[in-house]
């Protein structure tokens, strides 16, 4: 037992030192965007309301969703406000979908997985948002998709007059919100490293297993607890034989079906559209994973 504990501590330390710099940099950049650029991002979104972009509007909406530093519970009130200003449901869907999947802070975390994995995650988040917007525009044109009743503008917690103080408080708030999850992810990855052989990961999620992508997409539903917490797991699985396509599928279904996100989306979408959302996410994740393994 003592030997196992020593091995666990060794793996934990190794993983922590490898990934902690990306976690810290992600918090720094995410807080900087939240404090200094958030209003600009939402100003650009608000300015789109009167634009005549048609279906092309899903492109900037999805891009701004990726750039948004807010979580789903912060994004929905913003979307409610934009809806009141006349923004169409397809643009809102693109913004909300990509915002669920990625934000600047998580993007920096994901750099720990390598440049290729980062590129796949960023591009797939943008395309998923754009695809969600197009589906709403052309397949769900009858009636209103979203129900924003009761959602008000989110409370702005960056209220300090001194910008440096506001920045530091935002950093501390992000550390409190993600720190324990990050440590839990490192600990879980260390346990996997010690207890599960590499051959098992390669057999389950490797490129040679045609169902690996589907399995990874399915596993992403219960295992995804926090973006920063899952990065150590993915880093370990990729090193032990998980295909990049399987990782891509996991990175889509995970945040899109995170329990806290689902609770908010169920309220906003209603039962029927909520089921369609889940179907869309699973299909897009599987397709993304298969295409990634085919070409990368």
């Amino acid at each position: 037992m003592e030997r196992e504990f020593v091995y666990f501590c060794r793996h934990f330390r190794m993983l922590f030192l490898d990934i902690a710099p990306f976690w810290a940099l992600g918090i720094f950049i995410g807080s900087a965007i939240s404090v200094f650029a958030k209003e600009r991002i939402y100003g650009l979104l608000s300015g789109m309301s009167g634009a005549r972009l048609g279906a092309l509007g899903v492109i900037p909406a999805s891009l701004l969703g990726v750039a948004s530093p807010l979580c789903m519970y912060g994004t929905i009130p913003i979307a409610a406000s934009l809806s009141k200003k006349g923004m169409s449901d397809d643009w809102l869907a693109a913004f909300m979908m990509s915002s669920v999947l990625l934000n600047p802070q998580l993007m920096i975390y994901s750099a720990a997985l390598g440049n290729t994995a980062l590129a796949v995650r960023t591009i797939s988040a943008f395309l998923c948002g754009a695809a969600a917007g197009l589906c709403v525009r052309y397949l769900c044109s009858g009636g209103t998709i979203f129900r924003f009743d009761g959602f008000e503008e989110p409370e702005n917690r960056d209220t300090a007059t001194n910008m440096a103080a506001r920045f530091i408080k935002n950093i501390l708030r992000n550390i409190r919100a993600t720190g324990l999850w990050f440590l839990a992810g490192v600990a879980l990855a260390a346990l996997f490293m010690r207890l599960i052989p590499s051959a098992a990961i390669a057999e389950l999620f490797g490129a040679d297993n045609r169902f690996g992508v589907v399995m990874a997409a399915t596993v992403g539903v219960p295992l995804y607890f926090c973006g920063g917490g899952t990065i150590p797991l993915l880093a370990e699985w990729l090193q032990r034989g998980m295909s990049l396509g399987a990782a891509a599928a996991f990175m889509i279904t995970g945040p899109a079906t995170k329990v806290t996100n689902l609770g908010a989306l169920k309220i906003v979408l209603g039962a029927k559209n909520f089921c369609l959302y889940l179907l869309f996410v699973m299909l897009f994740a599987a397709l993304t994973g298969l295409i990634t393994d085919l070409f990368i």
Side-chain angles (χ1 to χ4, degrees):
M1 181 65 70
E2 183 178 349
R3 177 185 293 182
E4 293 298 325
F5 181 72
V6 170
Y7 280 131
F8 169 78
C9 291
R10 184 183 303 167
H11 293 321
F12 181 93
R13 180 177 180 275
M14 180 180 65
L15 286 167
F16 180 84
L17 292 177
D18 283 345
I19 300 176
F22 295 96
W23 174 71
L25 182 60
I27 286 178
F28 182 87
I29 293 179
S31 293
I33 292 175
S34 182
V35 172
F36 302 110
K38 181 172 64 178
E39 296 303 323
R40 175 60 175 166
I41 291 171
Y42 300 136
L44 290 173
L45 271 169
S46 182
M48 286 178 58
S49 299
R52 296 182 179 179
L53 298 175
L56 292 178
V58 302
I59 296 176
S62 186
L63 288 172
L64 290 171
V66 171
S68 170
L70 291 180
C71 66
M72 174 50 62
Y73 276 94
T75 298
I76 287 179
I78 292 293
S81 174
L82 294 171
S83 180
K84 290 179 181 179
K85 295 178 181 179
M87 180 172 283
S88 60
D89 281 353
D90 54 337
W91 297 1
L92 289 173
F95 168 69
M96 293 171 65
M97 185 76 252
S98 60
S99 180
V100 167
L101 296 180
L102 197 58
N103 58 57
Q105 188 166 319
L106 184 55
M107 191 182 298
I108 301 301
Y109 290 168
S110 301
L113 304 176
N115 292 334
T116 304
L118 173 62
V120 168
R121 180 164 210 174
T122 304
I123 293 171
S124 63
F126 160 71
L127 291 177
C128 190
L134 292 175
C135 284
V136 167
R137 184 177 185 88
Y138 293 111
L139 302 179
C140 306
S141 56
T144 302
I145 300 298
F146 301 108
R147 303 174 182 176
F148 290 123
D149 298 339
F151 285 97
E152 303 295 337
E153 289 280 358
E155 179 184 358
N156 184 9
R157 292 182 289 179
D158 295 318
T159 56
T161 55
N162 184 285
M163 295 300 288
R166 186 182 301 183
F167 181 46
I168 292 172
K169 287 182 178 180
N170 196 285
I171 288 177
L172 294 175
R173 190 161 59 244
N174 273 331
I175 292 174
R176 287 195 299 270
T178 64
L180 288 178
W181 289 115
F182 171 69
L183 293 176
V186 174
L188 193 57
L191 283 175
F192 270 100
M193 183 183 294
R194 182 59 188 162
L195 300 177
I196 300 180
S198 300
I201 299 297
E203 183 177 351
L204 287 173
F205 303 120
D208 293 334
N209 181 0
R210 68 177 65 182
F211 298 110
V213 167
V214 176
M215 292 179 63
T218 305
V219 167
V221 176
L223 274 187
Y224 196 95
F225 43 90
C226 172
T230 53
I231 295 300
L233 276 176
L234 284 171
E236 177 59 20
W237 289 347
L238 284 167
Q239 187 175 353
R240 288 176 171 249
M242 183 185 216
S243 74
L244 185 55
F250 182 96
M251 289 187 287
I252 291 173
T253 59
T257 59
K258 184 180 174 183
V259 173
T260 52
N261 288 343
L262 291 182
L265 288 170
K266 175 65 167 60
I267 297 172
V268 169
L269 292 173
K272 177 184 176 182
N273 291 328
F274 179 73
C275 291
L276 291 174
Y277 165 81
L278 293 178
L279 178 62
F280 167 80
V281 166
M282 296 301 293
L283 290 176
F284 189 91
L287 183 61
T288 299
L290 292 172
I291 291 175
T292 300
D293 278 345
L294 185 62
F295 292 102
I296 299 180

